[in-house]
Amino acid sequence: MKLDRRTFLKAAGAGGLGLAFPEIFRLSTSAAAATTGDLFDEEKYFFCGVCDNVCGMIGRYKDGRMREIIANPADELGAMGSICVKGESAMNTLYDPDRLKYPMKRTNPEKGIDVDPGWVQITWDEAFETIGKKFKEAIDQYGPQTLLYIGRPKEKEKALVQAVGTPNQVSHVDTCYLTHDLCWKVSWGAGKSWCMDLDKAKYIVSFGWDQPAKSKMYQLKGFLAAKENGAKTVFFDPRLSVTASKADEWIPIKPGTDLAVALAMIYVLIEEELYDKEYVQQMTVGFEQLAEHVKKEGYTPEWAEKISEVPAQDIRRIAREFGKTRPAMVALHKRDAGGPNYANSFPLSQAEFILNALVGAIERPGGHYMSRMPSLKGAEEFLMNPEAKYPEITEKRRVDGHDKYPLAVKMAKGFAKGDFSHLADGMLNNPPYPVKVGISKGYGILAFPNQDTIIEALKTLDFFVAIDILPNEMCMLADIVLPDEHFMESKGYEAREYHALWPQVEFRDGTALYDNKGFGPITNGILKGMGLGDYAVWWDEQKMKHFEALGYKVECPEYEALLGDPDPATGERKRVKKPDQAAQDALKAAVEETRKKIIKENKGVWQDKSKAASDGRPKPKSEFNTPSKKLELFSSALNDKGYEALPTWHPKEAEPDDEYPYYFLTNHLTWNRMNRNANDPALRELQPENFIHMHPDTAKKIGVKDNDYAMVEAKGVGKALKIRVRTTKGIRPDCVVTEHGFGQWSKGYSVANKGNGTYDGDLTPNRKIAESLEKFKKYDPVQSARQLDVCVKITKA
Amino acid sequence: MDEAERGAAYGLLSFFFLYPKDKHLEYLDAGGLEELAGLCAVLEVPCGDALEGLRERLKAGEEARPELLLDLQRDYTRLFINAFPKMVAPPYSSVYLDGKGKVWGESTSWVNNLYHEAGLEIAEEFHNIPDHIAAELNFAAFLLSGSGNEDGTNLRLYEKLVVEHLALWAPPFLQRVIEGARQPFYALLAKLVLRLVEEERGRLEDSADGR
Ligand code: SF4
């Protein structure tokens, strides 16, 4: 090539590329953004997407950049005046350069830890086309069940799964709240207790509840207010959790024996007639059977002492205090002892429900309320083609084996929420049919127990899509990676479920930094790519109906033109035509205008306080969605499906032996959230790695001291983790505890890609469907994940 | 170089700091390679075999293009978007200037305001942060293009852009590209921008001293 400066200058003279490119710039639509002296020049409403407390927030901007986040004062139910460190750190994640920005495909077909995917950016069109083609090819060959969907059981997610017709929607809930959820569903007819009226309670008992320390704002504030109001708090926990350390009594119970203590408390309440007779008579069924059961089984405090090592006199005293102080409640939540942790967690959850019912702590001030959520219509009513109906899912067998739990399936209205613990087993060992393609939204590999097996399982897929905001471990295994919206980029809204003492819908008002998309458009894009455009959901139509339910009419003549004649009976006009692009655009604009109006008029939080009584508590329900319409102490739903209808003692699965002498516990740090904010250097600095916490006597016995490394190996798992030792007197000498939220290995992170400690799930046994089914056929209708039902040995590293 | 030439240089470099697509190959094929080579000569940056390598591959015909494009895209993605093991060179000023390694920092707002002062704003289609290197280079090209510059405002803004901003973050950023690029093309582009920005800074500071 002959080069000289003239060649360039000549070309430059032609001026081909000397102007502003329209793909980068446009003429300014506003006057020059004059920098004001104010600290902030704009405020936007959000609700937090880090945890389910969904605190209302206000993002304060200066010159286009969010500078701080504060609690939205309009949200009296969630944030209650402040947000937590995780919510604040969301801003760091939003502006993290490692964020996923564009769809990408891998160019290296080999997958695994430490394998470079060789990503290249692609367009959304190419992504949807490729995904649609791959999914369709697999489905044509193997049927819709060949698609595995890993994602939360939410509406947009379900829209995709239902249109395709696969039974395989799998979420993490078995490792989270499913035990409580199903137990409360059969007992009071709704999901688990989402609203605890903590501040009005005068006596709070808990079996491992530590949510205030996880900074779930309403629980933290409720707990502190209860203490302020003079409530007595009694915590059963093998370790001194942060919440337990603030309690009046910490009782270091033996792990997995809470059920014995709960049963003995029920025994005392009944024997000494300390229960709320009037309430029990009016509101519950099954008291006689319960009374007979605990008597016949001999669940006395003396019996429970032998199992739990809690002195009988303490159990008796606490039961008496609990029965005599009103209002009293057993606080509970997700990952406590009644959560997914032990072989007997389900009956424990039921015993906790019964304790609450016996003292009248359900649907009463100072107790547990059902969420008062507004009813907003589901996606299935808003398909693009009004004549389209979701296909019937003919293949009922699920790859995670969850179909074998009839009660779970029934209670989930046909859509079982699935099972992370058994998915790998289902995929790897004689799956009921070939599972060839998959998609995962918002989950990392480290959300699964036992990552080695799930990695192996996901590698068996021919084609796999991961959707997330950061390049986590799941993305490393994907063929196509799609950039989700960070919640501060979303324009979505959500009805409050946690602590919904009255109906509340919160709004977000963000804009994407890059080419990120929310799951609504992604669902539609994939469906269109698959040739299933009729099943795409017209989200704007759904929004319109939702806004109408909140009392805001959306005016759109182009939409009206799609409606049929009024129904003679109801006068309602249904849409009968598919919208063309013009109608879609018109409705989009109209909906957007209404959205802005709602946000403005309601300061980001629409609410209907008229649904609450004058004290701000919900008007109590006296009828429940159970077969008897009452609170069922004896569960007819459990009974009908052949499960034990009353909580019955069963031991936990793993007990210490000479070789594996320690119980294994895990804990979340206040600031960690499911690996989601693992890449935030500010949080990483707070604690760069996890510790194995043990009693000083235990450390001495093992021959380790603070800051030494120890090898921790779980029985029957075969993996040993090297973890740094911390000693504390706040734990039973036969237990050790480590923190969850460490051990990231995704090389896509710049911060959390090495030296992040270890992943506790590596010590959770790989659960087998057939074994769990056999073991729990009598007393756990959700095949408990048993995440902490494991013993470990520890040696000096 | 005169203003128009400098503007053209920025424009050319900005174009290639956008995500590589067919149009980039077409442009290279239709004289773009010569333009780049000329710019190397003007800026006295040895172009090594980066351009020769590209020319060879472009000459190999239509069938070889997708592979060439993929190679460029793969490198662009790992340099500037997401990568294993971590993005090589985040192409945003705030990462280098604002101390916290985040995007959308103070310096982003600063340059964004400068765009507004010149009557421009980031187009929605850009789907990127305002201080992206391609935007800043393109902005420089615009400021030097002569349009709307009767009162000298744009030249004043250009001086600000280079001296107070671009010259501060471009060197550490480009150094990462030069060291980390697998495709010699991107290392060459980085060297060209580095030289251009440094020369311009020198020139503008000299003339400011003169004033
Ligand atoms: S408690 Fe913290 S993480 Fe949870 S929603 Fe509120 S601010 Fe977000």
Side-chain angles (χ1 to χ4, degrees):
Chain A
M1 211 174 341
K2 202 161 175 324
L3 317 163
D4 58 29
R5 59 182 283 141
R6 253 172 306 138
T7 325
F8 169 69
L9 296 179
K10 199 164 104 248
L17 292 171
L19 293 170
F21 302 152
E23 63 196 288
I24 304 181
F25 288 109
R26 65 178 176 209
L27 289 180
S28 183
T29 49
S30 56
T35 300
T36 61
D38 300 338
L39 269 177
F40 311 107
D41 52 25
E42 200 185 0
E43 289 193 338
K44 286 184 184 177
Y45 295 107
F46 295 101
F47 55 95
C48 185
V50 182
C51 91
D52 302 329
N53 204 63
V54 292
C55 293
M57 298 172 151
I58 298 177
R60 301 170 120 184
Y61 292 73
K62 170 78 171 171
D63 293 332
R65 206 255 192 208
M66 191 189 293
R67 304 296 160 121
E68 72 170 29
I69 316 173
I70 56 166
N72 182 351
D75 174 26
E76 297 163 44
L77 294 175
M80 301 167 130
S82 42
I83 57 167
C84 81
V85 59
K86 286 179 289 189
E88 281 172 12
S89 92
M91 193 164 75
N92 290 342
T93 314
L94 174 70
Y95 293 128
D96 184 340
D98 289 340
R99 286 273 312 280
L100 293 169
K101 309 167 182 79
Y102 308 98
M104 298 190 293
K105 69 177 176 195
R106 77 185 299 126
T107 56
N108 180 4
E110 195 199 324
K111 292 178 183 175
I113 296 186
D114 279 334
V115 179
D116 181 357
W119 283 324
V120 295
Q121 179 189 333
I122 55 175
T123 62
W124 279 103
D125 284 347
E126 182 184 342
F128 290 146
E129 212 175 284
T130 314
I131 297 168
K133 188 166 155 269
K134 293 281 186 187
F135 283 3
K136 191 167 179 311
E137 277 169 10
I139 287 169
D140 286 349
Q141 191 173 351
Y142 302 104
Q145 63 277 8
T146 203
L147 174 73
L148 168 69
Y149 177 77
I150 302 172
R152 284 173 177 67
K154 290 194 168 179
E155 204 189 342
K156 290 183 176 133
E157 287 76 349
K158 274 203 294 201
L160 176 68
V161 175
Q162 287 180 332
V164 171
T166 174
N168 292 313
Q169 176 176 20
V170 187
S171 74
H172 75 292
V173 296
D174 69 304
T175 64
C176 186
Y177 62 79
L178 193 55
T179 11
H180 281 310
D181 191 60
L182 192 60
C183 170
W184 283 64
K185 253 181 196 146
V186 299
S187 307
W188 76 341
K192 74 176 192 60
S193 155
W194 300 95
C195 312
M196 289 192 281
D197 193 14
L198 289 156
D199 49 336
K200 285 255 191 306
K202 290 286 182 220
Y203 200 93
I204 299 175
V205 171
S206 109
F207 298 97
W209 173 63
D210 191 24
Q211 285 299 313
K214 313 299 178 243
S215 69
K216 286 257 172 357
M217 273 304 161
Y218 102 79
Q219 301 199 19
L220 171 62
K221 297 207 169 154
F223 175 70
L224 295 177
K227 285 189 62 68
E228 188 109 318
N229 297 338
K232 180 165 183 186
T233 50
V234 178
F235 278 61
F236 294 94
D237 201 318
R239 69 181 182 97
L240 183 63
S241 69
V242 175
T243 317
S245 73
K246 306 278 178 266
D248 296 293
E249 277 187 57
W250 166 49
I251 297 158
I253 190 172
K254 199 164 147 188
T257 66
D258 312 71
L259 174 60
V261 172
L263 290 169
M265 283 179 68
I266 296 174
Y267 182 95
V268 175
L269 289 178
I270 295 176
E271 186 192 42
E272 302 188 10
E273 298 191 25
L274 297 171
Y275 58 93
D276 185 330
K277 286 192 186 129
E278 199 187 319
Y279 182 93
V280 167
Q281 207 235 328
Q282 277 175 12
M283 305 281 283
T284 73
V285 291
F287 179 79
E288 300 305 325
Q289 286 122 307
L290 174 70
E292 200 190 306
H293 173 69
V294 291
K295 199 163 165 203
K296 194 175 110 227
E297 298 290 335
Y299 293 148
T300 61
E302 289 69 26
W303 163 83
E305 174 177 341
K306 283 194 214 114
I307 294 171
S308 64
E309 296 179 3
V310 180
Q313 66 202 39
D314 285 341
I315 300 176
R316 208 173 283 279
R317 173 182 54 81
I318 292 162
R320 285 177 184 152
E321 289 170 2
F322 183 72
K324 285 179 187 163
T325 321
R326 300 280 153 78
M329 74 148 89
V330 179
L332 52 101
H333 189 86
K334 290 191 175 182
R335 293 292 306 268
D336 55 24
N341 296 320
Y342 300 112
N344 56 19
S345 287
F346 187 85
L348 171 60
S349 179
Q350 198 188 7
E352 291 179 313
F353 168 80
I354 290 172
L355 280 170
N356 280 305
L358 289 177
V359 296
I362 291 175
E363 285 287 322
R364 292 287 183 274
H368 296 261
Y369 285 103
M370 278 180 197
S371 298
R372 298 319 201 244
M373 294 175 73
S375 86
L376 300 176
K377 288 185 175 183
E380 63 276 11
E381 298 191 35
F382 304 102
L383 301 185
M384 274 295 169
N385 180 355
E387 282 162 23
K389 296 268 171 301
Y390 284 133
E392 202 201 325
I393 298 176
T394 46
E395 176 56 84
K396 304 285 183 210
R397 291 171 303 168
R398 295 171 51 105
V399 68
D400 60 1
H402 218 72
D403 56 292
K404 299 185 177 68
Y405 292 81
L407 193 59
V409 175
K410 183 174 167 223
M411 289 293 160
K413 301 212 180 66
F415 254 101
K417 289 171 178 175
D419 192 324
F420 269 18
S421 313
H422 295 79
L423 178 62
D425 179 48
M427 289 176 75
L428 292 168
N429 304 314
N430 300 318
Y433 39 74
V435 175
K436 293 290 187 188
V437 290
I439 181 166
S440 158
K441 178 183 179 276
Y443 281 121
I445 290 290
L446 305 189
F448 284 79
N450 202 298
Q451 64 173 326
D452 291 351
T453 49
I454 195 68
I455 292 172
E456 207 186 320
L458 293 175
K459 278 163 71 176
T460 65
L461 296 171
D462 289 347
F463 182 75
F464 181 50
V465 181
I467 306 170
D468 219 302
I469 57 168
L470 279 161
N472 63 11
E473 291 74 17
M474 195 66 96
C475 298
M476 291 292 150
L477 300 178
D479 293 278
I480 286 192
V481 176
L482 300 178
D484 199 357
E485 283 172 344
H486 185 279
F487 76 83
M488 287 169 168
E489 296 176 310
S490 150
K491 286 192 171 40
Y493 52 88
E494 215 168 277
R496 162 171 296 288
E497 191 161 20
Y498 272 47
H499 207 221
L501 296 178
W502 56 78
Q504 192 189 65
V505 178
E506 295 181 281
F507 285 77
R508 289 178 178 144
D509 201 15
T511 338
L513 295 185
Y514 312 96
D515 204 1
N516 313 81
K517 279 192 201 297
F519 201 62
I522 292 181
T523 303
N524 283 356
I526 294 175
L527 288 172
K528 283 178 196 155
M530 293 175 76
L532 297 174
D534 278 355
Y535 293 100
V537 178
W538 192 7
W539 298 110
D540 285 315
E541 184 181 36
Q542 189 195 35
K543 282 182 200 164
M544 179 185 72
K545 291 287 177 200
H546 287 173
F547 294 171
E548 276 172 9
L550 307 184
Y552 285 84
K553 176 109 184 79
V554 176
E555 302 293 348
C556 181
E558 292 86 343
Y559 179 78
E560 299 271 314
L562 306 173
L563 302 180
D565 296 333
D567 181 294
T570 62
E572 200 197 337
R573 292 178 68 202
K574 282 221 156 70
R575 174 164 66 87
V576 292
K577 287 188 209 141
K578 269 203 225 183
D580 59 10
Q581 196 55 48
Q584 290 183 44
D585 294 345
L587 189 64
K588 183 177 258 344
V591 160
E592 177 58 10
E593 206 173 295
T594 313
R595 188 187 71 86
K596 285 191 185 138
K597 188 169 161 202
I598 301 176
I599 292 183
K600 196 160 169 222
E601 288 183 8
N602 297 279
K603 298 193 161 51
V605 185
W606 176 93
Q607 39 202 338
D608 181 4
K609 287 197 197 172
S610 72
K611 293 271 163 26
S614 56
D615 62 353
R617 267 61 203 169
K619 294 170 189 160
K621 286 183 196 298
S622 50
E623 222 184 79
F624 298 89
N625 186 22
T626 57
S628 60
K629 304 266 182 269
K630 304 243 179 189
L631 302 173
E632 299 206 348
L633 309 180
F634 175 98
S635 164
S636 51
L638 288 173
N639 196 46
D640 288 352
K641 294 283 181 200
Y643 297 105
E644 291 166 357
L646 290 159
T648 304
W649 169 252
H650 295 276
K652 81 191 272 291
E653 195 169 31
E655 287 298 335
D657 57 25
D658 289 346
E659 207 186 336
Y660 294 88
Y662 302 105
Y663 292 105
F664 178 62
L665 308 169
T666 62
N667 177 33
H668 274 73
L669 288 168
T670 308
W671 53 88
N672 273 2
R673 169 67 179 167
M674 295 195 319
N675 302 294
R676 279 257 177 110
N677 46 19
N679 204 45
D680 182 348
L683 295 183
R684 269 288 105 134
E685 262 174 37
L686 291 174
Q687 184 175 324
E689 61 184 320
N690 54 324
F691 298 111
I692 186 88
H693 302 263
M694 60 184 75
H695 195 277
D697 295 349
T698 311
K700 208 162 151 202
K701 212 156 142 196
I702 297 168
V704 289
K705 50 188 188 326
D706 273 312
N707 285 323
D708 282 352
Y709 276 103
M711 298 308 293
V712 184
E713 193 185 327
K715 187 171 184 177
V717 180
K719 204 163 175 172
L721 302 183
K722 192 174 165 187
I723 316 179
R724 207 187 273 277
V725 171
R726 274 284 150 99
T727 56
T728 167
K729 290 208 167 126
I731 190 167
R732 287 171 60 99
D734 56 359
C735 297
V736 292
V737 59
T738 194
E739 294 95 356
H740 178 71
F742 291 87
Q744 293 77 18
W745 52 262
S746 168
K747 296 274 194 303
Y749 292 133
S750 353
V751 177
N753 62 5
K754 59 174 182 301
N756 304 299
T758 52
Y759 157 65
D760 57 302
D762 278 338
L763 298 179
T764 309
N766 175 29
R767 301 297 181 197
K768 305 270 195 217
I769 296 173
E771 277 172 31
S772 296
L773 202 58
E774 180 53 33
K775 185 163 177 73
F776 295 110
K777 63 183 177 211
K778 283 267 82 27
Y779 66 95
D780 186 346
V782 280
Q783 70 182 29
S784 157
R786 292 164 279 155
Q787 303 222 87
L788 302 184
D789 217 333
V790 60
C791 291
V792 294
K793 72 171 164 199
I794 304 175
T795 47
K796 190 172 188 315
Chain B
M1 285 195 288
D2 64 17
E3 250 158 54
E5 289 160 0
R6 278 186 220 115
Y10 280 115
L12 187 66
L13 293 167
S14 158
F15 180 62
F16 287 110
F17 270 98
L18 291 170
Y19 189 65
K21 295 185 180 149
D22 282 327
K23 68 177 180 188
H24 291 93
L25 296 190
E26 282 157 21
Y27 191 90
L28 285 170
D29 206 19
L33 276 177
E34 285 71 24
E35 282 178 40
L36 282 170
L39 187 59
C40 287
V42 173
L43 293 172
E44 294 169 5
V45 170
C47 57
D49 47 14
L51 298 176
E52 203 52 51
L54 272 182
R55 176 185 296 278
E56 289 295 314
R57 294 188 69 177
L58 283 168
K59 266 202 323 220
E62 284 298 316
E63 316 78 69
R65 291 241 172 142
E67 198 46 46
L68 169 59
L69 188 59
L70 201 61
D71 280 345
L72 292 177
Q73 290 178 334
R74 210 182 276 127
D75 211 30
Y76 187 99
T77 305
R78 59 176 279 283
L79 286 168
F80 308 128
I81 302 175
N82 283 111
F84 178 104
K86 91 185 189 187
M87 180 183 10
V88 178
Y92 308 105
S93 68
S94 63
V95 171
Y96 305 86
L97 296 182
D98 299 339
K100 293 188 189 128
K102 300 283 173 205
V103 302
W104 250 112
E106 299 278 341
S107 63
T108 317
S109 298
W110 185 91
V111 77
N112 202 33
N113 286 342
L114 215 60
Y115 299 158
H116 275 273
E117 272 188 62
L120 293 183
E121 64 188 19
I122 292 291
E124 242 167 70
E125 303 85 298
F126 189 43
H127 295 301
N128 217 324
I129 316 270
D131 58 348
H132 189 276
I133 184 70
E136 295 199 1
L137 296 176
N138 190 229
F139 184 54
F142 168 80
L143 292 174
L144 296 175
S145 69
S147 64
N149 193 27
E150 292 71 23
D151 60 356
T153 307
N154 284 3
L155 285 183
R156 191 179 51 76
L157 293 177
Y158 171 71
E159 186 175 332
K160 255 180 113 161
L161 173 75
V162 173
V163 177
E164 294 177 33
H165 183 78
L166 201 47
L168 303 182
W169 78 273
F173 157 67
L174 295 164
Q175 209 52 49
R176 287 202 203 175
V177 183
I178 293 165
E179 283 160 22
R182 289 186 186 150
Q183 293 292 321
F185 178 60
Y186 283 113
L188 177 66
L189 285 180
K191 284 182 202 160
L192 287 169
V193 176
L194 187 61
R195 177 63 66 87
L196 178 61
V197 169
E198 276 175 353
E199 273 197 6
E200 284 296 278
R201 192 224 335 235
R203 185 180 67 80
L204 292 163
E205 281 175 352
D206 285 351
S207 76
D209 287 349
R211 285 205 298 271

